[in-house]
Amino acid sequence: MTGYETIKVERRGRVGLITLDRPEALNALNTQLMDEVVAAAGEFDRDPEVGALVLTGSERAFAAGADIKEMASLEFADAYLSGLFTGWEAFTRLRKPVVAAVAGYALGGGCELAMMCDILLAADTARFGQPEIKLGVIPGMGGTQRLTRAIGKAKAMDLVLTGRMMDAEEAERSGLVARIVPVADLLDEAVKLAATIAEMSPVATLMAKEAVNRAFETTLAEGVYFERRLFNGAFATADQKEGMAAFAEKRPPNFEGR
Ligand code: CAA
């Protein structure tokens, strides 16, 4: 996990931490940064010693969007043929839970990247928005879809059509953000949250993420059916036996991921 130039990567116990690190551009998401985040996150996803990930930026900015300077001169064919931003799809296919820890600006692609994560933790300084309309374009990393699913059509239209920002309070009220914490505590809280998740049965954790995500892709009946198949499958694991035995014996469980 070395050789990265636009991110910092470290392990904190069973938590894999990725910090976006292009301070000169408010962590704007250029191609190199995308490739590095996807590579580092993929390594954590494959590492059995890691149970959950945290993705964060700086106090000033989680990320101020896709890199406008990198995009400005593109023609349609350049964007289309290169599959601009499609590299991020690998990030959405990570199987382990990812906590986004957002302070400062999460704009455009920054907001969209935060929404690709599973739990969004915001500092009280966080500001979210999809300002692409002001650049003569529209969101291009899933914003029109994920924001609408997260906060509903009324507010999504308000943000996407005006490009205005919303603060952490409004984002929590709207259902975009799971929790708000003081900015000084953001990283500790995010790592603590991810560490809590990483202590659970790894099999059940991946099942839970997969099942919740299925809610966005299918009908209620199909989704409930999918959940039941996974739920029943959980009874084939040693971790189910251990979890339920530990409850009966009034002791903490010791999950082994089997
Ligand atoms: N791309 C490239 N560079 C960026 C950037 C971006 N998205 N956002 C900020 N920067 C750069 C600035 O150009 C500036 O660099 P220089 O010092 O070399 O000029 C540096 O970061 C600091 O930014 P500012 O001086 O602008 O800082 P500020 O505090 O005055 O303003 C801001 C902060 C309001 C976030 C402002 O930087 C801003 O509006 N940024 C652009 C936000 C935006 O439009 N994002 C959407 C991008 S398009 C997109 O994301 C498409 C998609 O859907 C994937």
Side-chain angles (χ1 to χ4, degrees):
M1 289 244 178
T2 51
Y4 295 127
E5 292 174 347
T6 65
I7 58 172
K8 290 186 180 139
V9 177
E10 63 179 283
R11 273 269 305 282
R12 295 204 183 170
R14 286 184 51 76
V15 176
L17 172 62
I18 300 175
T19 305
L20 307 179
D21 189 31
R22 290 189 72 209
E24 71 286 359
L26 300 183
N27 293 333
L29 311 170
N30 64 6
T31 305
Q32 182 183 1
L33 181 143
M34 175 181 75
D35 291 344
E36 292 186 357
V37 170
V38 167
E43 269 194 63
F44 282 141
D45 209 40
R46 290 184 294 275
D47 183 346
E49 300 301 315
V50 170
L53 283 68
V54 171
L55 178 66
T56 195
S58 67
E59 275 203 14
R60 200 165 161 219
F62 176 75
D67 192 312
I68 299 169
K69 292 165 191 166
E70 191 183 59
M71 281 186 295
S73 63
L74 295 184
E75 299 291 341
F76 165 79
D78 301 320
Y80 186 69
L81 292 175
S82 69
L84 187 63
F85 306 142
T86 52
W88 287 113
E89 285 167 12
F91 188 83
T92 68
R93 286 194 297 272
L94 295 171
R95 301 187 70 210
K96 291 175 185 168
V98 186
V99 176
V102 177
Y105 298 111
L107 301 177
C111 184
E112 293 168 296
L113 178 57
M115 290 190 293
M116 288 180 203
C117 299
D118 301 302
I119 303 179
L120 221 158
L121 202 62
D124 43 14
T125 60
R127 303 188 75 191
F128 299 88
Q130 298 291 160
E132 291 88 344
I133 197 83
K134 295 182 183 173
L135 300 170
V137 293
I138 68 170
M141 278 170 53
T144 61
Q145 306 305 300
R146 291 198 178 87
L147 190 66
T148 308
R149 280 167 166 78
I151 69 176
K153 176 176 168 177
K155 266 200 187 287
M157 283 289 190
D158 179 10
L159 289 165
V160 170
L161 293 177
T162 67
R164 78 172 176 88
M165 294 186 213
M166 67 177 170
D167 63 17
E169 293 284 341
E170 185 181 359
E172 189 189 33
R173 226 172 30 242
S174 311
L176 181 66
V177 159
R179 304 183 204 166
I180 303 176
V181 296
V183 65
D185 303 337
L186 178 69
L187 191 57
D188 283 350
E189 288 294 329
V191 171
K192 211 191 306 172
L193 171 57
T196 301
I197 294 168
E199 280 171 19
M200 307 298 172
S201 159
V203 181
T205 298
L206 265 59
M207 283 180 173
K209 171 168 170 168
E210 213 179 333
V212 172
N213 279 335
R214 192 48 80 100
F216 293 97
E217 307 290 349
T218 191
T219 63
L220 179 60
E222 282 298 322
V224 170
Y225 179 77
F226 182 81
E227 177 193 271
R228 192 172 306 128
R229 295 277 80 81
L230 287 179
F231 177 77
N232 291 346
F235 286 83
T237 66
D239 283 349
Q240 173 269 327
K241 302 286 176 293
E242 166 63 11
M244 294 193 183
F247 175 79
E249 292 160 20
K250 300 188 188 301
R251 61 171 174 83
N254 178 22
F255 294 124
E256 290 183 0
R258 316 211 62 78

